């Protein structure tokens, strides 16, 4: 038997993880991209309000780089915002794009880098592997410790009232990712909790991914889960705990590297309709269904969950099933300790909505195919009922 089946692994080539690095952004960029002259900083109004765009922008100017700030990104960015941002980059004649924000801003930055310098229309790049040619230089600076978008090859766009579409392409891997916890100090506790649990889900689902599980993603997922499980509650309880914040950023990035190569599964498949229809933030949608999907998966993934329990609940003992159950219980306890919503009812979902949610989840065939246990429409309905 071959213990190590063939696999491929891609990630961002240059990563800077350093407290205070954002205020040296200009120097990092001048060193890495000596010819760039005009940077577009991409962010959203919420992050702009923190005032934390000023330091990186000033350091770029000090390095002789002209800066324009595009700050109209909204959560779960709609196509129209992407097109508007591409237009802003063209008007500014930007020669480098810098995502500075959560997953929403970083995803928009990826698409600007692809579309502003190229000939393709956005409609042509949805799906897997449809980006042609090169993009503008791209740097990603996360301000939530969550999506891992700074190191993934995916961008997610809201394309209808309730539908999201992904662009997946190697060109979406940034040239540089910069992790600086000083940017995340003001992230509110409930956002810290939801985005942090999203990152934990990335690690768990990568570790149990049915098709592309690989030794590199496994190592990254395990380290990610260790960092995230030890630091999520401290980061929620004391938002100014710099060490916990930097550990969260690192954990979220490692989880991003893991799932970019061993993709996520049913937790995300069942979370998407909750976000799409009820505008529940991505991390919270995941957190709401997480324990119920894990419990459903237990019979197929108990051995792998038991391995992860050793990281999240070091004292857990007993049978493989008991340790797998311990992981589920620990994830439930973490969510409870943060005070985020725990049931679908609490986010305004009614029992009469569950059938539609189950129908919509079944459309996520790419994600469901990665799940360790086959999910039928009845299974999805039962998981939503358990989460209700
Ligand atoms: N590309 C990927 O690999 C990937 C993976 C998962 C999710 N996503 C996408 O990412 C998006 C979600 O990203 P997210 O969870 O990071 O949230 P987000 O980017 O939507 O931001 C959420 C909120 O947090 C605020 N915020 C961000 N950083 C802050 C800070 N440091 N201080 C204070 N407020 C701050 C923002 O203003 C915003 O209101 C969704 O669109 C989702 O589909 C992408
Ligand atoms: Fe996610």
């Amino acid at each position: 038997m071959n213990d190590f089946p063939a696999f491929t692994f891609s990630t961002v080539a240059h990563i800077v993880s350093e407290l205070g690095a954002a205020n040296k952004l200009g120097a990092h960029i001048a060193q890495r991209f000596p010819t760039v002259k005009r940077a577009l900083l991409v962010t959203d109004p919420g992050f702009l309000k923190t005032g934390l765009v000023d330091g990186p922008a000033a350091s770029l100017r000090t390095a002789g780089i002209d800066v324009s700030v595009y700050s109209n990104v909204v959560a779960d960015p709609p196509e129209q915002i992407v097109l508007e941002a591409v237009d802003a980059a063209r008007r500014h004649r930007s020669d480098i794009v810098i995502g500075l924000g959560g997953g929403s801003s970083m995803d928009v930055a990826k698409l600007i880098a692809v579309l502003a310098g190229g000939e393709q229309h956005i409609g042509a790049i949805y799906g897997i592997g449809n980006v042609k040619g090169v993009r503008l230089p791209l740097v990603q600076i996360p301000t939530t410790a969550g999506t891992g978008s700074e190191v993934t090859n995916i961008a997610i766009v809201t394309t209808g009232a309730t539908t999201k579409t992904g662009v997946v392409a190697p060109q979406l891997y940034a040239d540089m990712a910069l992790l600086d916890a000083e940017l995340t100090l003001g992230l509110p506790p409930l956002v810290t909790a939801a985005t942090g649990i999203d990152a934990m889900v990335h690690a768990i689902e990568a570790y149990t991914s049915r098709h592309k599980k690989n030794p590199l993603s496994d190592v990254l997922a395990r380290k990610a889960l260790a960092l995230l499980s030890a630091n999520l509650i401290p980061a929620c309880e004391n938002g100014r705990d710099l060490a916990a914040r930097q550990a969260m950023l690192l954990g979220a990035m490692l989880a991003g590297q893991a799932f970019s190569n061993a993709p996520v599964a049913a937790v995300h498949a069942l979370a998407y309709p909750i976000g799409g229809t009820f505008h529940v933030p991505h991390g919270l949608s995941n957190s709401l269904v997480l324990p119920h999907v894990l419990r459903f998966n237990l019979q197929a993934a108990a051995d792998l969950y038991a391995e992860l329990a050793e990281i999240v609940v070091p004292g857990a003992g007993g049978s493989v099933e008991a340790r797998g159950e311990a992981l589920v219980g620990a994830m439930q306890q973490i969510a409870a300790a943060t005070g985020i919503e725990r049931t679908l009812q609490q986010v305004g979902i009614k029992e009469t909505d569950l059938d539609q949610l189950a129908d919509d989840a079944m459309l996520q065939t790419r994600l469901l195919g990665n799940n360790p246990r086959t999910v039928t429409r009845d299974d999805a309905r039962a998981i939503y009922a358990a989460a209700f």
Side-chain angles (χ1 to χ4, degrees):
M1 196 191 115
N2 183 357
D3 277 346
F4 294 108
F7 72 96
T8 63
F9 189 93
S10 301
T11 194
V12 170
H14 190 67
I15 292 164
V16 179
S17 176
E18 182 192 356
L19 278 177
N23 287 335
K24 299 183 216 154
L25 178 64
H28 282 290
I29 288 189
Q31 189 188 26
R32 202 75 191 169
F33 311 93
T35 60
V36 306
K37 289 274 168 273
R38 302 177 69 79
L40 185 72
L41 273 174
V42 182
T43 191
D44 68 68
F47 186 71
L48 187 70
K49 234 177 24 207
T50 65
L52 291 167
V53 176
D54 299 348
S59 85
L60 286 165
R61 292 188 182 107
T62 303
I65 297 168
D66 182 85
V67 182
S68 175
V69 178
Y70 178 83
S71 62
N72 287 346
V73 174
V74 295
D76 305 307
E79 194 175 83
Q80 201 44 46
I81 291 288
V82 176
L83 297 177
E84 187 188 295
V86 168
D87 204 43
R90 286 193 175 135
R91 274 186 280 116
H92 176 244
R93 290 177 288 114
S94 312
D95 56 11
I96 186 167
V97 182
I98 303 168
L100 177 60
S104 300
S105 296
M106 291 191 287
D107 282 7
V108 171
K110 289 175 183 179
L111 297 170
I112 299 172
V114 164
L115 294 171
E119 304 281 296
Q120 285 182 290
H121 185 262
I122 192 165
I125 66 170
Y126 290 124
I128 301 174
N130 294 325
V131 174
K132 307 272 181 279
V134 294
R135 55 154 173 74
L136 293 176
L138 175 64
V139 173
Q140 298 283 31
I141 309 174
T143 67
T144 63
T147 67
S149 178
E150 67 275 17
V151 288
T152 72
N153 59 346
I154 310 166
I156 299 164
V157 182
T158 301
T159 44
T162 60
T163 48
K164 281 184 157 192
T165 311
V167 178
V168 183
Q171 291 91 335
L172 298 196
Y173 282 116
D175 299 301
M176 184 195 312
L178 190 149
L179 310 182
D180 177 0
E182 286 180 2
L183 300 173
T184 68
L185 293 181
L187 197 64
L190 295 180
V191 185
T192 302
T195 52
I197 290 172
D198 180 32
M200 295 181 84
V201 176
H202 296 157
I204 295 170
E205 294 210 288
Y207 199 72
T208 57
S209 194
R210 194 194 276 178
H211 296 301
K212 293 191 176 167
K213 180 174 166 68
N214 67 78
L216 266 175
S217 285
D218 284 354
V219 176
L220 295 162
R222 293 175 65 95
K223 182 66 180 175
L225 213 48
L227 287 165
L228 295 165
S229 61
N231 290 284
L232 185 105
I233 306 288
C236 289
E237 286 179 353
N238 174 12
R240 304 205 66 82
D241 181 338
L242 266 178
R245 289 293 199 183
Q246 192 72 20
M248 290 299 294
L249 270 181
L250 186 55
M253 185 204 66
L254 298 176
Q257 291 179 314
F259 92 86
S260 197
N261 294 279
V264 292
V267 178
H268 275 75
L270 270 71
Y272 275 135
I274 298 173
T277 311
F278 298 96
H279 305 289
V280 175
H282 175 77
L284 178 56
S285 306
N286 274 291
S287 183
L288 290 168
V289 293
L290 172 66
H292 311 288
V293 174
L294 293 184
R295 203 155 269 133
F296 169 81
N297 284 345
L298 255 183
Q299 59 170 256
D303 50 346
L304 295 176
Y305 288 168
E307 289 173 21
L308 295 180
E310 286 168 23
I311 298 166
V312 181
V313 210
S319 65
V320 165
E321 288 72 22
R323 281 176 281 143
E325 178 60 39
L327 176 73
V328 186
M331 291 306 301
Q332 247 164 338
Q333 272 173 19
I334 289 172
T338 66
I340 56 172
E341 287 94 335
R342 309 275 306 285
T343 67
L344 300 182
Q345 283 185 72
Q346 288 171 328
V347 296
I349 296 174
K350 302 197 172 47
E351 200 165 7
T352 48
D353 296 321
L354 302 189
D355 280 310
Q356 187 64 49
L357 285 173
D359 289 343
D360 290 348
M362 295 316 288
L363 300 176
Q364 301 289 336
T365 47
R366 183 179 63 85
L367 298 177
L368 290 173
N370 300 321
N371 201 54
R373 184 178 167 194
T374 302
V375 181
T376 66
R377 198 261 178 206
D378 284 351
D379 295 330
R381 176 71 173 72
I383 292 168
Y384 284 125
F388 183 68

